[in-house]
Amino acid sequence: MVRIANAVRPRLARAAAAAKPRVARLTKAVRPGPDRPSRTPNVRTWQYSAGAATAGLALAAGVVTAAGPWDANGQRTAERDRAAALERSGGADHGSSGTTSGVPRPAPSAAAVLASLGGGADAVSTKKAPPGQQALADVLEPLLNAPSLGGTHTASVVDIGTGRRLYGSAAGKALTPASTTKIATAVAALSALGPDHRFTTRTALEPGTGELVLVGGGDPTLTAHRDAGGWASLRTLATGTAEALKKRGIHEVTLSYDTTLYSGPALHRIGVNENLAPVSALTVDEGRTNGSSSGPVTRVGDPAADAAHRFADFLNDAGVKTSAPGPSKAGGTADTLATVSSPPLSALVERMLTNSDNDIAEALARQTALASGGTGSFAGGAKAVAARLEKLGLPLSGTAFHDGSGLDRDDRLTADLLTALLVKAGDPADPGLRPVLTGLPVAGFTGTLAARYTNGAAGVVRAKTGTLTGVNTLAGTVVDKDGRLLAFAFLASGTTNPPEAQAALDATATALAGCGCG
């Protein structure tokens, strides 16, 4: 641990020094002034490489040492390798399934993190700072008061290593969180199911009828792509099913599909939307119609029927004829013929957070409900997420959940809750929650932050973004000038220009990274 700290300290200092002029420019950019034409950042490979050589390396050491040990599966392969060999740099491959067979090398542990944020004595005044240090409020408040952040904003900054709140502005006021809701969904799902849990899709043969049932297990990452990329493959399931049928001398079946694991409306309250397919216990490639794996795209109207028709095609290719598939329910005496299972839940959580995947989020909320004895519906999932967070002792005053993705504008979260979730995920006593930290997009490198921070704190900030009309949020972690790992949450409502609001939030997070404030 001492050798790692000594190796990283000079890099942290250089990264902080390099960030200072960028912070100054960003601060100036969000101050009130004459309108200027917007410019899309030009993301260049050399910028990524330069950021990785300094800030990315500092981030890797900071997160590994401050966030505690990894979970039992050695999640986040690229970052695990960094922890073992700090000379490596660059971003992480968030598409990894986490199912590689190599045995992970152990990452260093850290000192205990307080489980409770508390209040009163734990909170510190940000208006006063030790001699020679600038007060954090003096750095953040001018940036948070930028006109581009609208009429209402809240903020919280907490030292993950001590659990002490370093800054708060209306931190207990609940606002629309948008996609930062996924942090809460992730914590709840991991708490309810554990990081090693997998979702299984199976086929079952009804005795004496020749009916084959494709049974949905609620795996939102089931894929029909030829290259499954480590996710559960519908093609593999069809091959295994065909082999099992032929061993029984069966070459023709009546095909049905079972989606009864979930209940309630399949369509989100926002209606038909490119950001989310109708939620079903049986879906393949998230109902996408263009072969993509992330981002908005037109979805199929009935994901379960679509999956069943694709499965029928694969069976026919394997030499088993099928009828046109229709809905049914597998009976208790049906024989399971073949199964495919998702990667561990930890990998699904990382993919959800990195790509802001709404389909995974809604599935995980339902799975949390089922694991808690509730119903697999929008309402059941929302209730179960809140109940899990309450059981963990997290501050829920004023909060309201209506879905798992944050697409519902009636969702309400506080900056206090978001930072508390991140601190909880960094607690060595809860290593199963670590994917919440490792799944956050890395500024300038991965996911929804890949094209942001290219002129700022690339590699040092990692955060979940949130955007709805009039709403911009950002919550995550940052390694500051002094090497502290901080959790932060910034929520703004009443915004009118999303790019300018995003730039203002990015400037605030960059300033936090460059500030060795008291």
Side-chain angles (χ1 to χ4, degrees):
M1 180 69 72
V2 172
R3 288 196 300 271
I4 292 173
N6 288 337
V8 171
R9 189 175 294 111
R11 291 181 174 90
L12 281 171
R14 289 196 296 271
K20 281 185 178 180
R22 293 170 181 163
V23 171
R25 289 196 297 272
L26 286 167
T27 303
K28 182 178 180 182
V30 298
R31 286 175 180 161
D35 292 339
R36 56 176 65 87
S38 60
R39 180 172 61 88
T40 302
N42 186 13
V43 182
R44 300 180 185 276
T45 302
W46 68 266
Q47 289 174 314
Y48 286 168
S49 301
T54 54
L57 187 57
L59 169 69
V63 169
V64 171
T65 57
W70 300 92
D71 64 274
N73 286 324
Q75 280 303 301
R76 184 62 72 192
T77 302
E79 292 181 6
R80 180 191 67 217
D81 292 342
R82 289 196 197 99
L86 292 179
E87 293 82 2
R88 300 181 66 177
S89 61
D93 179 8
H94 291 259
S96 172
S97 68
T99 58
T100 54
S101 59
V103 178
R105 298 179 64 180
S109 301
V113 177
L114 297 183
S116 173
L117 299 183
D122 285 340
V124 296
S125 171
T126 56
K127 290 296 184 182
K128 297 179 182 180
Q133 286 188 330
Q134 189 176 11
L136 189 55
D138 292 340
V139 174
L140 299 184
E141 287 180 359
L143 297 168
L144 290 169
N145 287 327
S148 58
L149 291 182
T152 305
H153 67 264
T154 66
S156 175
V157 178
V158 176
D159 186 331
I160 290 182
T162 65
R164 298 179 70 201
R165 182 199 284 174
L166 305 180
Y167 175 76
S169 174
K173 182 176 182 177
L175 296 179
T176 303
S179 278
T180 53
T181 300
K182 294 182 178 71
I183 297 175
T185 302
V187 169
L190 288 166
S191 174
L193 297 160
D196 299 327
H197 187 81
R198 299 170 186 261
F199 305 118
T200 298
T201 308
R202 67 187 178 97
T203 52
L205 183 65
E206 296 289 355
T209 66
E211 180 185 9
L212 178 69
V213 186
L214 175 61
V215 184
D219 178 6
T221 61
L222 182 67
T223 181
H225 293 318
R226 190 171 298 277
D227 180 4
W231 307 101
S233 170
L234 191 67
R235 293 172 183 265
T236 299
L237 183 63
T239 299
T241 301
E243 291 175 354
L245 288 170
K246 290 175 182 178
K247 287 180 180 179
R248 286 171 163 80
I250 301 173
H251 298 275
E252 186 172 353
V253 295
T254 299
L255 181 61
S256 303
Y257 56 92
D258 183 347
T259 63
T260 58
L261 183 67
Y262 291 169
S263 58
L267 202 60
H268 192 282
R269 280 169 44 171
I270 59 174
V272 176
N273 192 282
E274 292 185 341
N275 291 293
L276 177 66
V279 183
S280 172
L282 176 62
T283 184
V284 64
D285 295 315
E286 299 181 340
R288 296 174 175 274
T289 56
N290 67 347
S292 63
S293 61
S294 64
V297 67
T298 301
R299 312 301 181 95
V300 299
D302 187 341
D306 171 67
H309 278 93
R310 294 200 195 190
F311 186 72
D313 290 340
F314 296 149
L315 279 181
N316 286 324
D317 291 342
V320 176
K321 295 182 179 180
T322 75
S323 64
S328 184
K329 178 176 173 58
T333 60
D335 294 330
T336 296
L337 298 186
T339 64
V340 290
S341 294
S342 72
L345 176 60
S346 50
L348 274 64
V349 163
E350 289 183 335
R351 175 172 163 178
M352 173 186 72
L353 293 173
T354 299
N355 295 333
S356 197
D357 194 303
N358 299 301
D359 299 271
I360 296 179
E362 296 303 343
L364 296 191
R366 280 166 165 72
Q367 295 284 2
T368 300
L370 294 171
S372 305
T375 59
S377 62
F378 282 108
K383 182 179 179 181
V385 168
R388 279 285 162 179
L389 302 187
E390 182 178 20
K391 186 175 182 179
L392 292 172
L394 296 167
L396 295 180
S397 177
T399 62
F401 292 95
H402 296 278
D403 63 6
S405 62
L407 288 172
D408 196 309
R409 300 186 66 87
D410 288 337
D411 288 338
R412 293 291 184 271
L413 270 66
T414 66
D416 265 345
L417 175 58
L418 287 169
T419 49
L421 288 163
L422 295 164
V423 169
K424 188 68 174 174
D427 188 342
D430 290 292
L433 300 181
R434 201 71 72 248
V436 176
L437 297 184
T438 59
L440 294 173
V442 180
F445 288 97
T446 58
T448 55
L449 289 185
R452 292 166 63 171
Y453 294 89
T454 55
N455 293 316
V460 179
V461 173
R462 57 190 316 154
K464 181 71 202 73
T465 57
T467 305
L468 292 171
T469 302
V471 174
N472 290 87
T473 61
L474 191 69
T477 64
V478 62
V479 180
D480 77 354
K481 179 180 178 181
D482 295 328
R484 295 180 299 181
L485 185 66
L486 308 180
F488 69 87
F490 307 138
L491 295 88
S493 290
T495 60
T496 58
N497 187 312
E500 290 183 1
Q502 286 181 2
L505 293 177
D506 291 350
T508 308
T510 300
L512 183 60
C515 180
C517 302

